[in-house]
Amino acid sequence: MNPLALALFAAGLLTAATAAAQADLIVTNGKIATMAAEGEFVQALAVKDGKIAAAGSNERVLRLRQKDTRVVDVGGRTVIPGLNDSHTHVIRAGLNYNMEVRWDGVRSLKRAMEMLKEQAARTPEGQWVKVVGGWSEHQFAEKRLPTLAEINAAVPDRPVFILYLYGKAFLNRKGIETLGYTRQTKYLDGELELDAAGKPTGLLLAKPNAMILYSTLARTNKLDRADQRNSTLHFYRDLNRLGMTSAVDAGGGGQAYPDDYGVTLELAKEGKLTVRTAYYLFAQKGGKELEDYERWIRMTKPNRNDHLFYANGFTTEGAGENLVSSAADFENFLEPRPDLPHHMEDELERVVTLLVTNRWPFRIHATYGESIERDLAVIEKVNRSTPLAGLRWIVDHAETVTDEQLKRIKALGGGVAVQNRMYFQGEAYRARYGAQTRQLPPIRKMLELGLPVGLGTDGTRVSSYGPWPSIYWAVTGKTAGGLSTWQAKDVLSRHEALQLMTRGSAWMSGEEDVKGRLVVGQYADFAVLPQDYFTMDVEKIKDLESLLTVVNGQVVYGAGQFETLSPALPAVSPAWSPVTRFGGYQNR
């Protein structure tokens, strides 16, 4: 090839390469936390085909601008990778969001009760008024729970169900009447409180697990299919408002596969989900878990996209967090630690063997070290005959896991998903077990050992779905009521906490190499914050939300000066939905 031809050929390659690199979206004038290293910030980002194409100075990144490139000047604001909840229940929450009064973040019991009364006035006859978890009395200025008398006075003519963590629930008189509860109503695991005359008071107590609460909630009304679609869209938008772009769904009681996944899958196929959702399959019937997993293994397989939404938008990840109900030790610190039944090991071994043989990742709910000890013995036994050999598996919660158990989890290639349940229940734990010198859960020790750790919420029932209280808890060790429960040496830096709810959580779905950092080649999922997370008053972290949220390079939420960029949503349905009046998480 002659020199002129060579020069023209090289110029052609350069032009083609430049065209290929030109950006769909450029963000400028930011304090952009790459999260590749602590303290590493850049000024601008370029996005191409849903991934980060460049990161650096305004001058460098703007070279990739073309005629159709959208350029967003964020005015010096902090930009972070999109938050990723390592353990939550977004699919179930989406189906129910539009019919629930959310007390998440509400500052006073007075306001909470006003919300209840206001919603009852708008609720049609035959429908329930429901508050389904996500709150604690310690967040209220009054530092107390509502009384049944107050609930009955606020709402005398509509049935009311109020779930308090997984410890208790309240029914008003109309709710008792609607359900037909009497002194003869019995639950194997739970207690219906009776008054001196032998009539139900409306207080339901989980003893020791939450079956009475699950079962009662299941008897209240549900949204129809069209409203469930609408509800899911609006719930995911509220997650985007809080800066969330990914979630790992851990299943949950009353969330049967595949029936209760249909709405979310339908929306995913239409490209309408705005949070990348990886999900685990949760067995529903005690004693029938093995049959469920045998059937699901024939139906689907892990790491398979069920649609063409994004790169990994709605994906089966594996089994859990309920592998077998006999292994579950519910986190009800209002009651003593439950002892797992003697037949647990045999049931768990059968399920774990099946999963490992078929190379299914799994996760297991375990609150107490005593339960983890028995779980680990089973997993180690299976590993000796059917090696895990790098199969991803997760211990969920692990509040009182021991150092020795953490070493055994690491030796088996496991990770730990931790949540801010102690943010809501730290006072209850202290009242039962006394002040602790050990961090619960021991996140600092997990990090020192090099274990994969993801941070999350366990929303939306036992905890709120708001991610920022979880991050606040990680950097302060404080509960919602302001109780300091950790020693100073154990609290996390702001970088560490954010890393655990970005790349750390991505490990839980096998995506740590493609999300959680704002560097070239990673998913273009990020949030622009109204205040600088890294330097702001620590007490205000729990109230953060996003001004602009981007998923896969597309704007999914905008507020303030970016509101015009926010995609339109259909009006909330049904028209009487609490969401039309109160919205979702109350951080304003």
Side-chain angles (χ1 to χ4, degrees), residues 124-139:
E125 188 171 349
Q127 298 288 340
W128 284 74
V129 180
K130 295 191 285 190
V131 180
V132 188
W135 60 281
S136 158
E137 74 270 33
H138 302 291
Q139 75 194 47

Side-chain angles (χ1 to χ4, degrees), residues 153-344:
V155 188
D157 58 350
R158 295 290 183 271
V160 171
F161 175 90
I162 301 175
L163 179 67
Y164 170 72
L165 307 173
Y166 271 156
K168 61 179 72 174
F170 303 89
L171 294 170
N172 68 347
R173 282 190 291 267
K174 183 68 173 179
I176 297 170
E177 175 189 323
T178 301
L179 294 172
Y181 279 2
T182 69
R183 65 191 307 166
Q184 281 75 43
T185 303
K186 304 293 182 183
Y187 282 92
L188 178 63
D189 294 302
E191 180 181 308
L192 179 63
E193 184 184 70
L194 303 177
D195 63 18
K199 295 181 179 180
T201 65
L203 181 63
L204 310 179
L205 299 171
K207 291 193 174 188
N209 69 46
M211 188 55 64
I212 188 173
L213 312 182
Y214 273 142
S215 300
T216 301
L217 179 59
R219 295 182 61 186
T220 64
N221 56 300
K222 296 182 179 180
L223 295 171
D224 64 27
R225 177 87 175 197
D227 287 341
Q228 286 179 339
R229 278 177 55 94
N230 183 281
S231 178
T232 298
L233 289 172
H234 281 275
F235 179 60
Y236 272 52
R237 175 62 64 90
D238 206 50
L239 294 175
N240 297 148
R241 175 177 70 90
L242 298 171
M244 279 189 60
T245 61
S246 289
V248 187
D249 189 286
Q255 186 178 327
Y257 185 82
D259 298 356
D260 294 314
Y261 292 71
V263 166
T264 314
L265 176 57
E266 185 178 284
L267 291 170
K269 287 180 176 178
E270 297 170 13
K272 294 182 179 179
L273 290 190
T274 58
V275 174
R276 300 182 192 267
T277 305
Y279 60 91
Y280 284 73
L281 302 185
F282 185 110
Q284 296 294 317
K285 296 180 180 178
K288 301 291 185 181
E289 299 93 346
L290 183 62
E291 296 174 23
D292 278 342
Y293 290 119
E294 287 173 335
R295 183 174 70 259
W296 294 336
I297 283 170
R298 295 192 298 269
M299 290 172 60
T300 186
K301 62 181 180 179
N303 303 315
R304 186 191 75 182
N305 282 339
D306 287 319
H307 54 84
L308 301 178
F309 167 74
Y310 299 166
N312 194 26
F314 191 63
T315 309
T316 310
E317 283 305 318
E321 65 184 289
N322 181 43
L323 291 179
V324 293
S325 60
S326 57
D329 58 353
F330 279 89
E331 60 290 341
N332 179 14
F333 299 130
L334 301 178
E335 295 291 327
R337 176 185 62 82
D339 289 322
L340 304 181
H342 68 277
H343 59 270
M344 181 278 284

Side-chain angles (χ1 to χ4, degrees), residues 16 48 131 219 282 386 406 486 569:
K48 176 71 173 178
V131 180
R219 295 182 61 186
F282 185 110
T386 311
L406 289 174
W486 295 352
L569 277 182

